[in-house]
Every structure is written in structure tokens, then in C-alpha cells.
């Protein structure tokens, strides 16, 4: 996966647009820098409410955000006053327009129940802060890779549709890759269903419910 | 060039001492590595944001602890935020005081909280001074026509 990603990415002209949500100035500045170094366009906002506003989910502007740029990835802090990252995640996943956007949760606290809840609600990943450049590079590279390979594969199951009743049998193939790389769709209709090995910050189990 | 070398050595020594004495941890080094031509003042900017944050949060904590009926949840919320920022910038000693501070909040121990508040204020001042010295050294190197050595 890593090798394939590298081969495909070299020809990519697509710059990901990432929406970063964090109430801390310091963290916003850092995540913005990490994303810029990883060749992404960044919009950093201070709250879930602002994030929804930007996406147009609050009934305001159109769904592309006020500068017309489609959002390919959302990275949000968990603990925020007002709306938590978890609540923001739920709102996004329950929106037919935005549920496809991968959402990554960041938190300074490595709490298993918290991680599980987020993953269950459809978060792509749970990163423990402080977030490293290697995490951001990996996430964004996966995003670009997914974007480029999507069109070539039929029959991929959108793991988020497992919450609906369209559960297919592809969940039975669980590749146990040594790396903790996850792959996911970025603005496209379907995504793969890989399950990485048990790791405190990564997707674990429980796709077999339902 | 001799002046530049001296300044560079001073900078590296000072930086090493800050790490050795626990003022800064690896996260600070990570931030320094992120600085580039596109954002030559990145670390200084992040540090400024951090110090602003510190002042605001310390004031919040002080006010909350002054109340007749202390709202420990409120104090804890501020400490949690400070712990987060200090972790993000690599301010290890500040972060460690926050960890202890949170325990006192949980135990609703006002005396313990006040002691931690004093400690965190002290650590923040110390760090601010030390970082200002570090940044000044950087400026001196640049002014002398040299480049700031990368921290390994």
C-alpha cells in the first residue's frame, strides 16, 4: 500500500483541502503548519459551530464553503467547549452531503472508550496529541492515494454504510498489515474496509456488529 | 565568521541546557524542524500564542480560585487547556505542573490548587525568559550574517 501510494502520488496535482478544528490557538497554528508542509490547503476554525458554518451545514452558505473549495479531510480536536469533536463528527456523518468526508479526531487524552466511540461513529482515526508530522503526512498521503485509486476499483464497500443495512461480506476479509496505515476515501463515493491490528490510536474491531 | 561560530555555539549550548533542565522537550525540537523559509518566525509566533494563552488561563484559574465557592470544574477546564498548549509547544515543566494541578482539582483541594497555580505561574515566567534569550541568540546569529544551526 505504501509503495503503491508513492508511485501514484508523484503524478498528483491534487492539493487536499483540509478543515482543521481546534479551540486552542497554539494547536491551530501547529496543525496548520503540519498540513501546509504536507502540501495541503488549510482552513483552520476554532469551533464545531464554525466548522459547520464553513461547510454550510448550519443552513447558511452552499455546501462547498464560502471560498468554493471542497473539503477533503476534517481534523478536529475532541475536547472543545460548546460542541465537542465527537458531536461534530456525528453531525458530519449524519449528513448525506458530508458523510463521505473522512474525519480524524485529535485528543491529548488516550482514553480507550473515547477512541472506541469515535471510531464507532465513523472517525477514520484517532490521533493522540501532540500530533506528529509523520501522522499528518501519512493521513494526507492516504487521502490522495485513495482519491486516485477509487475510480479503478469496483465493488468496494463504504464502511460507513455498515451503519445502514447494506452490510456486505467484504468485512470478512481483514488484512493484517504490519503498518498502521489506514486508507479512506476523500470525497468519493466508496472506500475500502481495511482493519489494522489493535493499536491504541487506530481503528480496532467491531465492524462485525450488525 | 568567528563571531558567528561563537554565537552558534552559545545557541546550541543554551538550547541543550533548556532540554537538560526539562524546560523543553522533544516537541519543541519538532516545532523548530517545521520552521522554514515560508515561515521563518514560526517558532516565535507559536511561542507568543502560547504565552498569551498562559496569561489568559492563569488569570482564569486565579479568579476561579478566589471565589467563595470554588468551581473546581472550571479551574480544571483551564488547567486542561494549559496542559494541552504546553504539550503542543514542548513546555515540559509547565505541562508537568498542570498534571499535578489536575489531581488537586479532582480532589477539590483549594490549597493544593493555589500552590500549583503559584508553581505554574513561576514556570511560565521562567520559560518565557529563557525562550526570549534563545530567540535573542537566534536574532544575533542572523544579524551577524550566520544561520541558526539545526537542533538534532
Amino acid at each position: 500500500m505504501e509503495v503503491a501510494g508513492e508511485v501514484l502520488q508523484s503524478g498528483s496535482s491534487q492539493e487536499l483541502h483540509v478543515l482543521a478544528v481546534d479551540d486552542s490557538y497554539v494547536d491551530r497554528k501547529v496543525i496548520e503548519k503540519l498540513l501546509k508542509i504536507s502540501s495541503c490547503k488549510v482552513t483552520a476554525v476554532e469551533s464545531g459551530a464554525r466548522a459547520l458554518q464553513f461547510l454550510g451545514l448550519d443552513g447558511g452558505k452552499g455546501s462547498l464553503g464560502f471560498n468554493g473549495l471542497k473539503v477533503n479531510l476534517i481534523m478536529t480536536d475532541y475536547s472543545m467547549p460548546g460542541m465537542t469533536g465527537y458531536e461534530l463528527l456525528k453531525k458530519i456523518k449524519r449528513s448525506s452531503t458530508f458523510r463521505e468526508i473522512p474525519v480524524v479526531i485529535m485528543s491529548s487524552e488516550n482514553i480507550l472508550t473515547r477512541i472506541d466511540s469515535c471510531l464507532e461513529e465513523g472517525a477514520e482515526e484517532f490521533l493522540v496529541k501532540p500530533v506528529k508530522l509523520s501522522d499528518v503526512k501519512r493521513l494526507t498521503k492516504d487521502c490522495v492515494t485513495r482519491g486516485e485509486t477509487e475510480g479503478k476499483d469496483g465493488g468496494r464497500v463504504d464502511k460507513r454504510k455498515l451503519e445502514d443495512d447494506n452490510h456486505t461480506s467484504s468485512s470478512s476479509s481483514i488484512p493484517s498489515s504490519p503498518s498502521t496505515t489506514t486508507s479512506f476515501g476523500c470525497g468519493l463515493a466508496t472506500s475500502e474496509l481495511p482493519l489494522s491490528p489493535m493499536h491504541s490510536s487506530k481503528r480496532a474491531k467491531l465492524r462485525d456488529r450488525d | 565568521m568567528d563571531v558567528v561560530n561563537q554565537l552558534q555555539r552559545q545557541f546550541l549550548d543554551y538550547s541543550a541546557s533548556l532540554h537538560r533542565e526539562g524546560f523543553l522537550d522533544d516537541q519543541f525540537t519538532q516545532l523548530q524542524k517545521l520552521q522554514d523559509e515560508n515561515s521563518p518566525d514560526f517558532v516565535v509566533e507559536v511561542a507568543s500564542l502560547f504565552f498569551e494563552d498562559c496569561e489568559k488561563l492563569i488569570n482564569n484559574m486565579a479568579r476561579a480560585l478566589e471565589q467563595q465557592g470554588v468551581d473546581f470544574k472550571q479551574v480544571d477546564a483551564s488547567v486542561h487547556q494549559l496542559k494541552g498548549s504546553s504539550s503542543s509547544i514542548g513546555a515540559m515543566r509547565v505541562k508537568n505542573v498542570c498534571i499535578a494541578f489536575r489531581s488537586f482539582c479532582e480532589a477539590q483541594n483549594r490549597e493544593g490548587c493555589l500552590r500549583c497555580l503559584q508553581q505554574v505561574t513561576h514556570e511560565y515566567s521562567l520559560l518565557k525568559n529563557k525562550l526570549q534569550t534563545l530567540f535573542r541568540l537566534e536574532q544575533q546569529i542572523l544579524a551577524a550574517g550566520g544561520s541558526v544551526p539545526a537542533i538534532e
Side-chain angles (χ1 to χ4, degrees), chain B residues 82-135:
Chain B
L82 184 57
K83 177 170 164 270
S85 312
S86 52
S87 165
S88 296
I89 198 183
M92 192 163 83
R93 278 158 71 140
V94 174
K95 183 185 77 176
N96 288 338
V97 177
C98 290
I99 294 172
F101 203 153
R102 292 198 82 189
S103 307
F104 285 117
C105 288
E106 227 175 310
Q108 309 214 343
N109 181 335
R110 191 167 171 268
E111 285 311 307
C113 283
L114 286 170
R115 271 199 310 274
C116 282
L117 178 63
Q118 217 177 7
Q119 247 186 304
V120 98
T121 307
H122 178 65
E123 288 299 338
Y124 144 72
S125 310
L126 277 179
L127 181 63
K128 190 171 182 182
N129 276 329
K130 290 185 183 284
L131 281 183
Q132 280 169 345
T133 303
L134 190 71
F135 295 146

Side-chain angles (χ1 to χ4, degrees), chain A residues 23-27 29-30 33-34 37 79 81 108-109 114 129-133, chain B residues 27 31 34 36 38-39 42 45-46 49-50 53 80-81 84-85 87-89 102:
Chain A
D23 60 315
S24 156
Y25 294 138
V26 172
D27 289 354
K29 186 143 181 102
V30 174
K33 184 66 183 167
L34 292 175
I37 287 184
S79 316
S108 54
E109 292 168 311
R114 178 180 290 189
K129 284 177 160 183
V131 173
K132 298 189 190 35
L133 182 58
Chain B
Q27 179 61 17
L31 292 185
L34 297 182
D36 56 19
N38 294 327
S39 57
F42 177 67
E45 286 166 5
V46 177
L49 287 176
F50 172 65
D53 228 17
H80 173 73
Q81 272 192 278
S85 312
S87 165
S88 296
I89 198 183
R102 292 198 82 189

